[in-house]
Amino acid sequence: INLIIRTSSLIGIYAYTNLNEMINVAVLNTLNSVQEMPIIVYSLDDKFSSTDTIITSSGSTSCSLLNSEQSNIIQIISNTCRVTVNSTHSSGSSNVTVIVNYLTYNFPVTFRVWYPSNIQINLSRNSIYQIYGSSCNPKYQNCDLYVSATLSGNSLPIITNIDITDFVNLATNSAPNPAL
């Protein structure tokens, strides 16, 4: 009887995210942005054939910020390998490093986080007036508006006049003189 024992030896890990560049729009609309970091575990069997396994979360995985002072930029969701930016964060950075750990191995994943500032509402006309006619319901002229911001962060270039209209919630009041 021949007994063959096959073993597998872990040789390393690689962690990644599909999107490592984020804009913190949560400060505009309270919607958090979340990115997951799957971990690829590489191992060799006794015939030196490599295999890879993708792990998204297990008891053997953990994540931490390389620099704890960057917790005002990005947050790791507890007991996961997911990061989020939310409305409590107050800045951006070109280099936020998250260390992904699996067993005794670790791998850095770097994020670039843009932070909006100098938010402005831009109108195509300064005033709109009521249109008088035969209708019982008052009607007003219309105008186009968009919201712009400056995107920046630590060691990032300053990019001005970025249209962020899709990321904000705009509403008007129903008073006799409508206002945003």
Side-chain angles (χ1 to χ4, degrees):
I1 298 178
N2 291 334
L3 180 63
I4 299 172
I5 299 175
R6 295 190 178 218
T7 60
S8 180
S9 175
L10 179 64
I11 58 171
I13 68 167
Y14 178 77
Y16 70 96
T17 181
N18 292 332
L19 183 67
N20 69 339
E21 190 155 7
M22 303 167 80
I23 299 174
N24 189 346
V25 297
V27 296
L28 305 170
N29 61 19
T30 68
L31 296 176
N32 296 349
S33 178
V34 177
Q35 291 301 316
E36 186 163 7
M37 292 172 288
I39 303 165
I40 301 175
V41 177
Y42 294 99
S43 57
L44 288 175
D45 62 20
D46 61 341
K47 298 194 185 299
F48 299 104
S49 298
S50 66
T51 59
D52 57 356
T53 307
I54 297 178
I55 299 172
T56 55
S57 187
S58 76
S60 303
T61 62
S62 66
C63 291
S64 60
L65 285 171
L66 178 64
N67 180 350
S68 63
E69 293 175 5
Q70 293 182 322
S71 61
N72 67 329
I73 300 169
I74 203 167
Q75 176 184 355
I76 296 169
I77 298 173
S78 181
N79 299 319
T80 69
C81 279
R82 291 187 213 163
V83 296
T84 184
V85 291
N86 62 49
S87 60
T88 65
H89 297 134
S90 59
S91 65
S93 178
S94 65
N95 186 16
V96 179
T97 302
V98 175
I99 302 298
V100 178
N101 302 293
Y102 177 73
L103 300 174
T104 59
Y105 295 86
N106 59 56
F107 195 87
V109 177
T110 302
F111 289 86
R112 179 181 299 155
V113 180
W114 296 88
Y115 191 82
S117 62
N118 300 326
I119 298 163
Q120 297 178 358
I121 298 176
N122 304 287
L123 304 168
S124 62
R125 61 172 81 183
N126 293 331
S127 300
I128 56 173
Y129 300 99
Q130 185 173 357
I131 300 171
Y132 294 98
S134 60
S135 174
C136 295
N137 296 325
K139 293 185 180 184
Y140 291 87
Q141 295 173 321
N142 63 16
C143 79
D144 296 324
L145 63 89
Y146 73 96
V147 181
S148 64
T150 297
L151 297 180
S152 63
N154 185 26
S155 299
L156 287 171
I158 296 172
I159 303 174
T160 60
N161 203 29
I162 300 298
D163 186 352
I164 59 167
T165 307
D166 292 342
F167 300 111
V168 296
N169 297 322
L170 298 170
T172 60
N173 64 14
S174 59
N177 296 316
L180 288 174

